[in-house]
Amino acid sequence: MSNWKLGKKEVAVKYFEEIDKDYNETHKLDPQFRTAYELLIKYNDSIGNRDKQLDYINKLMKLDRSYEKNYKYLYTKINKEYDTKKLILEKNEIESSLKTQRTIISTILLLTILATLFFWNRYNSLQKKYKEKFEEIISIKHKKVNEVNKELASEIEDKKSSISFFKPENSFDLEFYNKIPGLNPLIVENILNKLEHFEKENKFLDNQVSKTLLSEILNTNPTYLSRIINVYKGKNVSIYINDLRIDYIIELLKNDATYLNYDIKNLASLAGFTNAVNFSDNFQRKFEIKPSYFIKMMKENIKTSSL
C-alpha cells in the first residue's frame, strides 16, 4: 500500500498479485485481501486488461459473499470502494465488452480464413491458366518471324500464280480485294503488298512507328489504312503493330535462350516498345500471361530438358 500511495503502482501490484497467488493456493480468507483486489481491479482497468479485471471482480464478489456469511460484524465495518451493486454493474459491462471483442476477433479471423482460401484458390487457378497458356505458346512450331513472313509471301505468290493461270496477266482477285465498300480494290491490293513488305523487313521494330507514320510509309492516308487493317488483319492499327512486335519477341525467346536472360526493359526496347509497362500489357493482352512468367517457364523447361 505504501508503494501504491507513493505512485509506484507496478511495484505495488506485484505484491497484490502475491496475495492473489496465495489465495488461489490456500483459499484462505482475510479482510485485508479486499483492498488488494479493489486496487488490482482499478489497476487492470487503467491498463485495459479486461480479462484480469473481470477475474479480480469475480474473486472480490466471492470474498464479499464469504465475508458477509462468516464475518457479518466485520463486513459492515469494511470501508468498501466497490460495493456489490457497483461490482455487478462493472462485471456486466466488462463481460459485454469482452463478448463484443471476442465476436469481432472471431469475425475477423473467419474473414481472414475465407480471404486466404479465396486468394489461394485464385492463385492456383491463375497458375493453372498460365501454365495452359504457356503450353499453347510453345506448342506452336518454332519459326523465326522472317521465316514466317517468307512462307506467307510464298503462299501469296502461289495464290497469285494460280489466279494468273485462269485469268489474264493484268487481272487480279477482285473478290478478295473488294471487301471494303467505296474503296478501290487496286488501292487495297497496293497497301496489302506494302504491309507485307513492312512485316517482312521487321520495320515494326522502330519504336516511332504509329498509325500516322505507317500511313506515311505506305503512302496512303490513316483512314484507308485503318479500314484495310481492320478488315484484312482483324484488328486496329495499334494492336496490329504491337502484335507483330510481341510475336517477334516470342520467337526470339523460343529460338535463342540468350534472350531469356534479358530483363523486361531490354526486351521491350528490342521489340520496339517505348517502355516495359507497354510491352508487358500488350504481352498479357495477347497471350493472357505475363512475360516474366513465360520467361520463367521457358527457363524451367530448358533446365528440365538438360537433366
Side-chain angles (χ1 to χ4, degrees):
M1 288 298 298
S2 296
N3 280 305
W4 182 272
K5 290 177 181 179
L6 288 170
K8 300 177 181 179
K9 294 185 178 180
E10 288 78 10
V11 177
V13 165
K14 290 186 184 298
Y15 289 105
F16 296 152
E17 288 174 344
E18 286 297 320
I19 293 175
D20 179 57
K21 182 179 178 182
D22 181 69
Y23 170 70
N24 289 335
E25 292 174 355
T26 65
H27 296 286
K28 179 183 175 183
L29 296 171
D30 190 307
Q32 68 179 339
F33 284 7
R34 197 177 197 290
T35 304
Y37 280 109
E38 284 182 347
L39 295 177
L40 282 170
I41 291 168
K42 183 180 290 187
Y43 176 76
N44 282 281
D45 180 32
S46 69
I47 64 173
N49 192 332
R50 297 288 177 259
D51 289 311
K52 277 193 173 183
Q53 187 183 358
L54 182 60
D55 180 48
Y56 293 138
I57 286 174
N58 286 329
K59 286 178 179 177
L60 184 54
M61 290 177 70
K62 186 176 180 181
L63 286 174
D64 278 351
R65 287 193 295 272
S66 178
Y67 292 156
E68 189 175 11
K69 180 180 178 182
N70 300 307
Y71 306 96
K72 289 184 179 180
Y73 174 77
L74 181 62
Y75 183 72
T76 59
K77 302 293 184 180
I78 295 175
N79 181 20
K80 297 183 291 182
E81 183 176 344
Y82 285 90
D83 58 20
T84 303
K85 185 177 180 181
K86 185 177 179 181
L87 284 172
I88 292 173
L89 180 63
E90 191 165 334
K91 176 185 176 182
N92 290 337
E93 287 178 354
I94 294 171
E95 286 178 338
S96 176
S97 174
L98 287 173
K99 184 179 179 182
T100 302
Q101 184 179 351
R102 291 187 185 108
T103 302
I104 292 171
I105 292 172
S106 299
T107 303
I108 292 172
L109 183 61
L110 179 61
L111 290 174
T112 302
I113 292 170
L114 291 175
T116 302
L117 289 173
F118 171 79
F119 286 112
W120 177 252
N121 288 332
R122 179 176 171 80
Y123 172 79
N124 286 334
S125 298
L126 283 174
Q127 291 301 305
K128 184 179 178 181
K129 178 184 174 182
Y130 286 165
K131 189 174 181 180
E132 289 173 354
K133 292 296 177 183
F134 171 77
E135 289 172 353
E136 283 178 17
I137 297 171
I138 62 172
S139 65
I140 301 171
K141 187 178 179 182
H142 290 191
K143 293 178 183 178
K144 293 182 179 179
V145 173
N146 284 336
E147 292 174 356
V148 173
N149 288 335
K150 286 177 183 178
E151 289 186 8
L152 181 61
S154 178
E155 289 175 10
I156 293 172
E157 288 300 322
D158 290 342
K159 183 176 180 181
K160 288 180 178 179
S161 298
S162 63
I163 292 171
S164 63
F165 181 79
F166 296 101
K167 296 183 180 181
E169 245 180 61
N170 60 352
S171 68
F172 69 106
D173 190 349
L174 181 61
E175 184 180 350
F176 178 75
Y177 295 114
N178 197 28
K179 293 181 180 180
I180 304 175
L183 197 56
N184 191 323
L186 292 172
I187 294 176
V188 174
E189 181 194 27
N190 181 47
I191 293 176
L192 287 175
N193 287 336
K194 288 180 178 179
L195 282 174
E196 181 186 323
H197 183 73
F198 170 78
E199 295 174 15
K200 185 185 295 185
E201 296 194 353
N202 294 336
K203 290 185 177 181
F204 50 82
L205 298 179
D206 181 355
N207 61 19
Q208 298 300 314
V209 173
S210 61
K211 181 169 75 171
T212 303
L213 183 59
L214 182 56
S215 62
E216 291 176 3
I217 292 171
L218 303 183
N219 196 25
T220 185
N221 66 64
T223 303
Y224 283 2
L225 180 65
S226 293
R227 292 173 67 187
I228 290 169
I229 289 178
N230 275 323
V231 172
Y232 289 91
K233 304 294 182 180
K235 57 192 78 174
N236 64 43
V237 178
S238 179
I239 291 178
Y240 163 71
I241 294 170
N242 288 332
D243 280 356
L244 289 172
R245 291 167 172 168
I246 294 297
D247 288 338
Y248 176 83
I249 264 322
I250 280 288
E251 293 306 325
L252 286 182
L253 294 172
K254 284 161 59 176
N255 288 286
D256 190 342
T258 304
Y259 293 102
L260 295 175
N261 297 316
Y262 282 36
D263 61 28
I264 300 301
K265 184 177 180 181
N266 287 338
L267 289 173
S269 177
L270 193 62
F273 288 96
T274 54
N275 58 72
V277 174
N278 195 12
F279 168 70
S280 295
D281 288 345
N282 276 281
F283 195 103
Q284 192 159 7
R285 170 191 56 77
K286 183 171 174 61
F287 294 114
E288 298 179 47
I289 181 175
K290 293 180 179 179
S292 56
Y293 184 85
F294 177 80
I295 291 170
K296 177 186 173 185
M297 291 299 293
M298 283 293 295
K299 288 180 177 178
E300 288 178 4
N301 266 19
I302 293 171
K303 186 177 179 181
T304 303
S305 300
S306 62
L307 294 179

